[in-house]
């Protein structure tokens, strides 16, 4: 254990990569009770170039956004989300974002937000609600340059 209790809200599939992903998380003590099973294959990013740029890779969603957009946490899961000292959201579909922010109302915990792939070039994952509710926003150097200009 690393001293910090961690968990993840995400999706996974029935493929070998998903099985390795789950094993990796569990071996490191990361709680997986909030993961959603329901994909045939795990989402993937295929890197086409070693140049650090948005065009260097291709993203294959494999249905994960739709699955997470309809995520309906059980009462036990809701309590875990509400009581988390820190909740960090990365590339979260709109309906899930609304549910998570609502669950966190009244929480004195920290909410971190990473808006998704290259906000300056593709803001389809950017969510103003999360941006306004977050304690911290995570962006990379290239995005900071775009925002500053």
């Amino acid at each position: 254990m690393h001293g910090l209790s961690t968990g993840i809200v995400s999706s996974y599939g029935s493929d070998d990569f998903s099985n390795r992903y789950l094993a990796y998380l569990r071996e490191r003590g990361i709680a997986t009770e909030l993961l959603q099973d329901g994909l045939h294959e795990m989402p993937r990013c295929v890197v086409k170039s070693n140049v650090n740029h948005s065009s260097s890779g291709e993203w294959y969603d494999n249905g994960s956004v739709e699955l997470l957009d309809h995520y309906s946490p059980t009462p036990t899961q809701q309590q875990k989300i509400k009581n988390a000292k820190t909740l960090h959201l990365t590339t979260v579909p709109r309906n899930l974002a609304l549910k998570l922010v609502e669950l966190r109302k009244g929480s004195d915990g920290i909410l971190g937000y990473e808006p998704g792939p290259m906000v300056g070039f593709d803001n389809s994952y950017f969510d103003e609600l999360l941006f306004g509710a977050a304690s911290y926003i995570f962006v990379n150097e290239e995005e900071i340059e775009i925002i500053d200009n």
Side-chain angles (χ1 to χ4, degrees):
M1 221 28 139
H2 302 289
L4 177 66
S5 175
T6 59
I8 182 170
V9 175
S10 187
S11 57
Y12 65 98
S14 56
D15 59 321
D16 183 57
F17 185 71
S18 293
N19 293 333
R20 288 187 281 147
Y21 171 63
L22 288 171
Y24 177 86
L25 294 172
R26 290 175 179 149
E27 286 169 7
R28 283 149 185 82
I30 298 171
T32 58
E33 299 88 21
L34 300 175
L35 288 172
Q36 297 300 293
D37 179 10
L39 301 176
H40 172 67
E41 187 177 41
M42 188 85 166
R44 295 176 194 256
C45 180
V46 177
V47 178
K48 301 184 302 186
S49 161
N50 65 354
V51 176
N52 185 15
H53 194 271
S54 62
S55 63
S56 301
E58 290 182 15
W59 174 251
Y60 299 95
D61 171 74
N62 296 333
S64 66
V65 170
E66 185 176 349
L67 179 67
L68 289 172
D69 210 31
H70 294 94
Y71 174 61
S72 184
T74 67
T76 301
Q77 291 171 327
Q78 290 177 21
Q79 211 49 46
K80 286 181 182 267
I81 293 166
K82 184 174 178 82
N83 294 337
K85 291 182 180 169
T86 301
L87 181 65
H88 180 70
L89 306 176
T90 304
T91 315
V92 179
R94 178 69 177 171
N95 287 334
L96 178 56
L98 292 170
K99 289 175 193 170
L100 294 174
V101 168
E102 184 64 31
L103 286 171
R104 297 291 288 181
K105 281 188 179 171
S107 169
D108 59 354
I110 295 169
L111 179 64
Y113 176 49
E114 187 273 310
M118 298 302 291
V119 168
F121 299 106
D122 175 8
N123 65 2
S124 60
Y125 286 96
F126 181 79
D127 191 290
E128 289 186 30
L129 173 71
L130 289 178
F131 184 80
S135 309
Y136 299 97
I137 310 295
F138 293 79
V139 292
N140 64 37
E141 290 178 23
E142 198 171 348
E143 292 171 315
I144 290 172
E145 287 178 22
I146 291 168
I147 293 167
D148 282 345
N149 290 329

